Amino acid sequence: MASYVLRRILQVIPVFLGATLLIYFMVFAMPGDPIRALFGDKPPSDAVIEALRAQYKLDQPFIVQYLSYLGGIFRLDFGTTFSGQDVLTVLGRTFPVTLRLAVMAVVIAFVLAIIIGATSAIFKGTWYDQLMLVVALIFIAVPVFVLAFVGQFFLGVKWGIFNPTVGADNGWGGLWLPAIVLGLSVYATSMRLTRSSMIEMMGQDWVRTAYGKGLSRGRVIPVHVLRNSLIPMVTDMATTFGTLMVGATVTEGIFNVPGVGNTLYQAILRHESPTIVSFVTVFVVVYVFVNLLIDLLYGLLDPRIRYVS
């Protein structure tokens, strides 16, 4: 198993190089002049523009800019934003907020997917199962910004259960409303996977054998059937976690969450190559390691899975 983990960690290196190269090239190829765009309708003199170009190495060829950035990463120097802030400082301020939001949303989606998916499988074909299917389809079909505005109005403004915006209150308690919105927007797929997987498991011979040995339904369903049905759902949750880390921009904007999404969006508008590439690079590394943890979790869920070198 140790060799398997080491091999998966080494796979991060080409993924890291490929992601940074691709993202840096895409930012480099974006139309427009980021330095002139900083000053809006009142551009400075050409001398000032050229000085700023030299300061941010924008006067260098693409490969020189990329290698310079890559060398800075290995020295833990992620560059500076156009406003003069260190990118690593900005990342350290915003990344924990988005990470907390993503973790809370995944936990909410995970709990809903297990509870609703398992009960729908047990009561397959009943009114409850049909109702949960309709509700899941509604959450899949409704755009997240609509769900966010509805939740903000009713849960935040009208009923006052949560704060309608986050702002400086971005601890675990202040992120409940956007986390609930994101959790509801992504739970439906995992719920349907759990339901279908449990229905398939309950028809297996080994389940009938367990009942034949005298095991109660309260023992067979949660311990044997549900445990073996979680692998598709856990895989989907790993993908969902990565999606939430990079795709919560709209939700962060609506709820004024000072996270990565807002910062990354502003960086894209300003063509800030170091900020964009650094943020995306961190996302790639986190996503790879989350998938590694999910792969290792498979062995706990299904003892038949073994890791070979």
Side-chain angles (χ1 to χ4, degrees):
M1 182 175 178
S3 60
Y4 172 81
V5 173
L6 179 61
R7 186 168 66 251
R8 287 297 304 270
I9 293 176
L10 291 177
Q11 290 175 356
V12 176
I13 297 176
V15 173
F16 166 80
L17 294 175
T20 54
L21 179 62
L22 179 61
I23 297 300
Y24 209 99
F25 174 77
M26 292 174 65
V27 176
F28 180 85
M30 289 175 66
D33 189 340
I35 298 299
R36 292 186 182 274
L38 289 175
F39 297 93
D41 296 332
K42 297 181 179 180
S45 64
D46 291 340
V48 173
I49 291 179
E50 292 304 321
L52 289 174
R53 286 180 180 276
Q55 177 182 345
Y56 292 104
K57 298 182 175 62
L58 297 179
D59 57 341
Q60 302 291 330
F62 162 73
I63 192 63
V64 175
Q65 293 185 40
Y66 174 71
L67 292 177
S68 175
Y69 169 78
L70 202 60
I73 286 181
F74 291 110
R75 299 191 304 270
L76 295 181
D77 178 12
F78 287 75
T80 57
T81 67
F82 289 162
S83 60
Q85 299 183 75
D86 186 73
V87 173
L88 199 58
T89 301
V90 177
L91 185 61
R93 183 177 66 248
T94 58
F95 184 78
V97 180
T98 299
L99 182 62
R100 285 195 295 269
L101 178 60
V103 169
M104 292 174 67
V106 167
V107 170
I108 292 171
F110 187 84
V111 172
L112 289 175
I114 289 180
I115 295 176
I116 299 177
T119 52
S120 294
I122 294 173
F123 300 107
K124 180 184 67 171
T126 64
W127 66 268
Y128 173 83
D129 182 31
Q130 299 300 321
L131 177 62
M132 290 302 102
L133 173 60
V134 172
V135 172
L137 292 176
I138 291 175
F139 282 117
I140 291 176
V142 174
V144 67
F145 67 87
V146 174
L147 194 61
F149 280 124
V150 171
Q152 188 179 49
F153 176 75
F154 286 101
L155 299 180
V157 177
K158 189 171 184 178
W159 298 334
I161 301 176
F162 303 102
N163 292 328
T165 59
V166 176
D169 184 21
N170 52 59
W172 293 98
L175 294 172
W176 272 110
L177 184 53
I180 290 173
V181 168
L182 285 174
L184 290 174
S185 68
V186 299
Y187 92 96
T189 303
S190 297
M191 184 274 287
R192 301 303 297 176
L193 286 173
T194 303
R195 176 188 178 277
S196 60
S197 182
M198 281 194 62
I199 291 175
E200 180 182 356
M201 289 294 174
M202 287 189 293
Q204 298 294 318
D205 291 338
W206 58 268
V207 174
R208 289 191 287 268
T209 301
Y211 282 125
K213 289 183 177 181
L215 294 180
S216 65
R217 193 178 191 185
R219 174 72 179 178
V220 173
I221 295 296
V223 177
H224 299 284
V225 175
L226 180 59
R227 177 181 175 181
N228 286 278
S229 303
L230 288 180
I231 289 182
M233 194 263 283
V234 168
T235 304
D236 182 70
M237 280 297 171
T239 306
T240 299
F241 181 81
T243 302
L244 292 176
M245 285 294 297
V246 301
T249 304
V250 174
T251 306
E252 288 188 1
I254 293 174
F255 291 101
N256 192 29
V257 179
V260 169
N262 276 331
T263 306
L264 187 59
Y265 175 71
Q266 296 299 324
I268 292 173
L269 294 179
R270 294 191 295 266
H271 296 194
E272 287 185 5
S273 303
T275 305
I276 298 172
V277 180
S278 298
F279 277 39
V280 174
T281 299
V282 172
F283 289 152
V284 169
V285 174
V286 170
Y287 187 78
V288 170
F289 277 102
V290 166
N291 279 270
L292 173 61
L293 293 177
I294 294 301
D295 286 350
L296 299 179
L297 184 61
Y298 289 163
L300 297 177
L301 295 175
D302 191 344
R304 295 171 297 178
I305 296 177
R306 291 292 180 265
Y307 303 99
V308 295
S309 57

